Amino acid sequence: MALALGKSAITSGVLMTVGDILCQGITTRSSPNAKLDLTRTARFAAAGFLLHGPIFHAGFRVADKRVAALALTPRLGLALKVSILQFATFPVYLAAFFPAMGMMEGRGWSSSSKRSIELFPKAYTAGLCFWPFVNIVNFAYFRPSQRMVVANVAGIFFNTALSFINSSNLQKKAK
């Protein structure tokens, strides 16, 4: 289990890094002098390694083990697994992500918490439009040992959006 958790953490850290780099490339491509903000990218890598990997590793594990124990029909089991990730795991992750990013950006707890309350609805709504479809495919067609990797690869796209949500709020505050 520790090996699988480590793999999930490393994979999440690497792919969140890729998502942030993509976001920076997309949002700064019109600026010829724009440079990659490595500190920002390192924060995303840390969030992937310390938050995303462990939280979703646990979420997938609970969904697979607990739902299998219920011996439901395949469709009901699939719906329950997707629901566990969307309505239990994902909100926990976002509730940890925004305050952690704020703290890593040098904000205090109060400011980070306030920012989390502000950004959570936008990020969660975006997740409702993206993750249920990814997770239906993931649970229906991939083995448990592959699911975290599939989620992380799909997550490159979502993490690019999450990076944009997180940084656009910072840019508004700077103006």
Side-chain angles (χ1 to χ4, degrees):
M1 174 161 138
L3 183 61
L5 177 60
K7 180 180 171 185
S8 295
I10 290 168
T11 304
S12 291
V14 168
L15 294 177
M16 283 194 71
T17 299
V18 171
D20 182 64
I21 290 169
L22 283 172
C23 179
Q24 288 188 55
I26 291 166
T27 59
T28 62
R29 70 174 174 230
S30 62
S31 303
N33 297 329
K35 293 183 181 175
L36 182 63
D37 182 349
L38 292 176
T39 304
R40 173 181 146 173
T41 301
R43 288 192 297 263
F44 259 80
F49 183 76
L50 299 171
L51 296 174
H52 186 273
I55 290 171
F56 279 94
H57 175 83
F60 276 107
R61 190 170 164 84
V62 166
D64 281 324
K65 300 264 187 224
R66 301 288 184 213
V67 173
L70 297 175
L72 302 170
T73 65
R75 285 187 181 164
L76 189 55
L78 177 63
L80 185 54
K81 288 178 181 183
V82 169
S83 296
I84 287 169
L85 286 176
Q86 191 62 45
F87 301 114
T89 308
F90 187 53
V92 168
Y93 168 67
L94 287 179
F97 174 80
F98 288 117
M101 291 300 283
M103 297 296 283
M104 287 189 283
E105 290 161 359
R107 301 168 180 265
W109 176 253
S110 176
S111 174
S112 297
S113 298
K114 181 181 174 194
R115 188 164 159 262
S116 179
I117 292 167
E118 186 179 318
L119 296 178
F120 183 96
K122 185 186 291 188
Y124 190 72
T125 302
L128 282 172
C129 297
F130 182 78
W131 286 115
F133 304 105
V134 170
N135 286 321
I136 287 168
V137 171
N138 201 359
F139 282 114
Y141 298 106
F142 293 92
R143 294 189 310 269
S145 63
Q146 299 171 315
R147 290 189 183 131
M148 193 66 190
V149 174
V150 171
N152 276 319
V153 170
I156 290 173
F157 301 102
F158 187 78
N159 292 335
T160 301
L162 193 58
S163 177
F164 180 76
I165 290 167
N166 187 60
S167 67
S168 66
N169 185 288
L170 291 175
Q171 291 167 357
K172 275 194 257 181
K173 299 289 185 201
K175 290 182 180 179

